[in-house]
Amino acid sequence: MMDTKTNIPNNTEMTPVISLKGVSKWYGDFQALSNIDLEIKLKEKIVICGPSGSGKSTLIRCLNRLEAHQEGTIHVSGIELHERMKDIDVVRQDIGMVFQSFNLFPHLTVLENCMAGPNWVRGVDKSKAKERAIAMLEQVKIPEQADKYPEQLSGGQQQRVAIARSLCMQPKVMLFDEPTSALDPEMVAEVLDTMIELAKSGMTMICVTHEMGFARQVADRIVFMADGEIVEQNSPEEFFNNPQHERTKVFLDQILK
Amino acid sequence: MFVDTVIEDKALHKPAFLIGLSLTVLAIFFALNFTNSLFGEFLRPVIGDPTESGFFGRFAVSLVLTIIFVLNLFAISFFKLKVQVAIVWLELFLLFLAFAYSFDLKMSFIQSRIPLMITRGLFTTIYISAISIVLATVIAIIGAIAKLSNNGFAYAISSFYTSLFRGLPLLLQLFLIYKGLPQLGFMVDAVPAAITALSLCYGAYMTEIFRAGIQSIPRGQWEASRALGFKFNLILRKIILPQAVPIIIPPTGNQFIAMLKDSSLASVLGVWELMYLARTLGQRDFRHMEMLLTAAMIYWALTIVLEVIQARIEEKYKQKS
Ligand SMILES: Nc1ncnc2c1ncn2[C@@H]1O[C@H](COP(=O)(O)OP(=O)(O)OP(=O)(O)O)[C@@H](O)[C@H]1O
Ligand SMILES: [Mg+2]
């Protein structure tokens, strides 16, 4: 089920889907990101963690240019993201994003939420979009909620709809910014399960999360940030068993307590 | 709003409150002095000639009125909310009628003039208001979007516009348009001038209402839309405005109601709308009150119609969410 309109060139396993070189960002005088270098390959699963305020959200939001960086370069599938680019919307259509606060459209039903993107900007006709929406809702295991409005769903259900909404765009990459931190503990698992399924299907994923069990199970690489810098990045095994930096050790001590 | 689930004792059923209320009302009635009104006349058997009754008469009238007033409240307090509302509405309406009746109105005069009031006055008022409402809404949508845009020209023009047209009295705007434009070479009739002034003035107020409504939609809605690759116009049309409309409706309804009545300002340009006819039809026969009260009732009825429409629309949006 490929879109007729494929926006960004297809990647081989070798070329990075996303690459950042020397990226820095300031909020006024405050430097939120400093000199970030990062490459993410096709089908790779990255988990970004770090203390609050370390710049994780800022980083992930730079990847679809919800935030602007001031120095360095960011390439998504070979297209550079910059201030004067013409086709940012086209790039964004290929990058799914899931927010901490779901951000579903409250005036649309679950089904309409999922149909909106493909139908409005991908040129998919209504019946096709609906077919796809139902398939994605089945994938996140809530097809029976299709005709409800978001506020009638639990937090966990809403977040799964948000994932389905992104998947309907058939993105090349999925970004997650703390998708489970607004949820009650008993709902965290259902969202994580959905994300694990998605990982198994081969999706390229970048997740900001503090769910270390998820990271251990899914991540190819864990990126640890502090004070706007990448302090260390490693495979889960190395990261948990053999952290290199003092800050990483302190962070792991706190979070795994 | 949240109505608490615990019912408190009614204030009216507490003796202390009743006594306090009675004394306050008595003081007010005494101060207002109803001795020379209809009520004094009713009490003539007790107090004698009202004008001569002095302190005793004044006190007696106040006391009787207070007793009626407080007993009435006390009785109403036992009914259910809806019935209470109906009774109070009815009583207030009867008081208003009594006020009107006290002018010794000549009904036949009203009857003879009412066809013109309606075919000419009411028609013109509705015509002016309806067009102005549509135009003001269009202006407000454009103005609000311009105010929210990053375009320097758009922002400058729309903020200058709202500042100017909210800053001048509507009557002054009306004269400026009616008398000013012809000097620039544009002839304007009174009705188009009135419509222009009303649209521009209310468009300015409504621009601010629409802007605030749009801005009240959480940032996350924009971000989620942007992340899906939607463009500004699409986001506004399909995501933001549908959510802003229910927020915008109540204050906009208010503006429509205000505008309906401000259309009466067109009377100073000699437009034959309700207010103009109300002032002129009664003049020759010195029957001012008849015409003014008739116009008052028509304006009020129109307002009620608008209120009902607004309530319907609000209800519709409430059901949807
Ligand atoms: N719009 C903004 N204006 C000014 N400062 C900001 C803004 N957004 C973020 N910051 C600052 O940038 C730093 C990084 O913020 P960011 O949200 O990326 O942190 P985070 O790692 O996601 O933290 P958390 O775990 O709390 O979500 C913080 O110190 C924050 O105060
Ligand atoms: Mg964050």
Side-chain angles (χ1 to χ4, degrees):
Chain A
M1 205 166 39
M2 242 359 247
D3 279 321
T4 43
K5 262 182 16 191
T6 310
N7 295 314
I8 35 190
N10 280 315
N11 300 83
T12 66
E13 304 274 335
M14 303 310 296
T15 55
V17 187
I18 292 178
S19 83
L20 292 81
K21 289 199 182 70
V23 171
S24 295
K25 165 161 186 73
W26 286 263
Y27 289 112
D29 288 339
F30 177 78
Q31 183 159 16
L33 294 179
S34 51
N35 203 23
I36 301 281
D37 290 314
L38 188 64
E39 286 203 343
I40 295 140
K41 292 199 216 46
L42 194 68
K43 302 203 172 178
E44 224 185 343
K45 286 96 184 112
I46 307 279
V47 163
I48 302 174
C49 60
S52 178
S54 57
K56 307 177 299 286
S57 297
T58 308
L59 175 64
I60 204 171
R61 289 161 60 85
C62 280
L63 300 183
N64 61 354
R65 226 187 140 76
L66 286 186
E67 299 284 355
H69 60 287
Q70 280 98 34
E71 272 179 15
T73 56
I74 300 177
H75 284 86
V76 177
S77 293
I79 298 177
E80 189 186 345
L81 305 189
H82 60 93
E83 205 165 57
R84 309 199 57 92
M85 63 189 302
K86 296 272 183 280
D87 40 10
I88 181 65
D89 298 315
V90 175
V91 177
R92 282 177 179 151
Q93 288 166 24
D94 275 354
I95 308 177
M97 186 167 208
V98 176
F99 301 85
Q100 182 175 351
S101 50
F102 326 140
N103 293 345
L104 292 175
F105 304 130
H107 61 300
L108 302 179
T109 63
V110 165
L111 193 66
E112 289 165 340
N113 265 278
C114 293
M115 289 167 60
N119 187 225
W120 296 348
V121 295
R122 282 283 210 189
V124 179
D125 69 42
K126 270 225 166 108
S127 62
K128 268 259 180 59
K130 185 170 174 182
E131 225 168 79
R132 189 188 290 178
I134 290 170
M136 292 307 159
L137 288 172
E138 266 160 14
Q139 188 176 330
V140 301
K141 303 199 175 63
I142 36 174
E144 71 282 1
Q145 311 288 359
D147 294 321
K148 290 197 180 162
Y149 284 91
E151 65 168 19
Q152 295 169 298
L153 306 184
S154 73
Q157 291 171 326
Q158 288 191 44
Q159 194 60 297
R160 284 184 286 152
V161 173
I163 294 173
R165 177 176 69 177
S166 289
L167 291 179
C168 282
M169 295 292 282
Q170 299 183 329
K172 296 208 163 64
V173 189
M174 285 286 288
L175 311 177
F176 294 83
D177 189 0
E178 306 207 29
T180 57
S181 21
L183 298 177
D184 290 339
E186 72 269 22
M187 296 174 192
V188 170
E190 62 186 57
V191 171
L192 289 180
D193 285 346
T194 309
M195 291 169 65
I196 292 169
E197 286 292 309
L198 188 60
K200 281 185 191 152
S201 76
M203 177 63 73
T204 312
M205 291 164 69
I206 302 166
C207 315
V208 175
T209 181
H210 291 137
E211 296 294 334
M212 288 303 138
F214 171 82
R216 217 185 270 269
Q217 187 181 347
V218 166
D220 297 313
R221 202 163 19 128
I222 298 182
V223 173
F224 176 72
M225 292 183 70
D227 296 331
E229 291 179 61
I230 295 182
V231 175
E232 92 173 74
Q233 42 178 320
N234 228 325
S235 67
E237 220 133 285
E238 282 295 301
F239 182 79
F240 288 113
N241 301 333
N242 189 16
Q244 299 297 307
H245 285 77
E246 202 47 42
R247 297 211 56 166
T248 322
K249 288 175 193 162
V250 174
F251 175 76
L252 284 175
D253 273 352
Q254 278 173 352
I255 205 154
L256 296 176
K257 221 179 332 197
Chain B
M1 229 191 78
F2 175 75
V3 181
D4 205 354
T5 52
V6 176
I7 297 168
E8 286 179 32
D9 288 341
K10 287 181 178 166
L12 273 172
H13 295 182
K14 292 178 191 157
F17 179 81
L18 268 182
I19 292 170
L21 178 72
S22 307
L23 290 177
T24 315
V25 172
L26 183 65
I28 293 170
F29 283 154
F30 190 79
L32 292 177
N33 191 9
F34 288 100
T35 326
N36 296 326
S37 73
L38 223 53
F39 304 109
E41 211 50 48
F42 281 135
L43 284 181
R44 187 181 279 275
V46 184
I47 60 173
D49 184 358
T51 48
E52 313 258 293
S53 61
F55 180 84
F56 168 70
R58 187 166 169 179
F59 185 76
V61 170
S62 308
L63 189 66
V64 170
L65 279 177
T66 302
I67 290 170
I68 294 173
F69 182 80
V70 174
L71 275 182
N72 179 35
L73 284 191
F74 191 67
I76 292 174
S77 76
F78 288 97
F79 288 100
K80 285 215 176 77
L81 184 85
K82 277 198 171 154
V83 185
Q84 285 180 339
V85 173
I87 296 177
V88 174
W89 257 84
L90 189 71
E91 286 183 352
L92 291 173
F93 187 68
L94 287 176
L95 274 182
F96 179 78
L97 282 188
F99 166 76
Y101 179 77
S102 67
F103 292 108
D104 182 25
L105 302 177
K106 200 169 156 198
M107 285 300 158
S108 59
F109 185 79
I110 294 182
Q111 269 169 17
S112 70
R113 298 298 191 278
I114 235 179
L116 185 63
M117 281 288 254
I118 286 177
T119 55
R120 196 65 203 263
L122 177 63
F123 176 78
T124 312
T125 291
I126 289 180
Y127 165 74
I128 291 177
S129 306
I131 295 182
S132 304
I133 281 173
V134 173
L135 288 180
T137 307
V138 173
I139 292 174
I141 292 174
I142 297 170
I145 293 171
K147 263 206 154 170
L148 293 171
S149 82
N150 300 326
N151 185 312
F153 290 106
Y155 180 82
I157 292 170
S158 61
S159 55
F160 182 84
Y161 158 68
T162 51
S163 174
L164 181 68
F165 282 87
R166 292 200 303 171
L168 306 186
L170 178 54
L171 188 57
L172 180 57
Q173 291 174 30
L174 200 60
F175 280 126
L176 282 179
I177 289 168
Y178 188 57
K179 309 248 191 240
L181 284 186
Q183 300 203 358
L184 298 178
F186 301 101
M187 286 321 237
V188 271
D189 285 335
V191 170
I195 289 175
T196 309
L198 280 170
S199 307
L200 286 172
C201 180
Y202 277 88
Y205 287 116
M206 282 162 56
T207 293
E208 288 301 306
I209 292 175
F210 284 27
R211 178 194 56 75
I214 290 171
Q215 276 183 325
S216 72
I217 304 304
R219 197 185 150 77
Q221 293 290 308
W222 286 97
E223 289 182 353
S225 309
R226 286 293 192 194
L228 285 166
F230 297 172
K231 286 188 194 304
F232 180 83
N233 286 343
L234 181 71
I235 301 174
L236 200 64
R237 200 159 43 83
K238 296 276 209 174
I239 304 295
I240 304 300
L241 283 181
Q243 294 182 58
V245 165
I247 300 170
I248 288 171
I249 286 171
T252 303
N254 229 5
Q255 294 294 304
F256 287 171
I257 287 170
M259 182 197 275
L260 176 76
K261 284 164 300 170
D262 272 353
S263 69
S264 60
L265 288 173
S267 63
V268 300
L269 305 184
V271 176
W272 278 39
E273 45 70 74
L274 265 179
M275 189 64 216
Y276 182 84
L277 293 180
R279 278 193 336 192
T280 50
L281 285 182
Q283 230 158 30
R284 204 185 33 164
D285 304 270
F286 298 106
R287 286 276 166 202
H288 293 290
M289 252 338 192
E290 276 82 352
M291 289 296 95
L292 290 179
L293 281 170
T294 308
M297 298 309 283
I298 296 177
Y299 275 119
W300 191 8
L302 280 176
T303 304
I304 290 175
V305 170
L306 283 181
E307 279 169 351
V308 169
I309 294 174
Q310 181 187 336
R312 283 273 166 83
I313 298 177
E314 277 180 40
E315 195 58 38
K316 207 187 92 189
Y317 275 102
K318 219 182 280 166
Q319 282 167 0
K320 229 182 132 186
S321 61

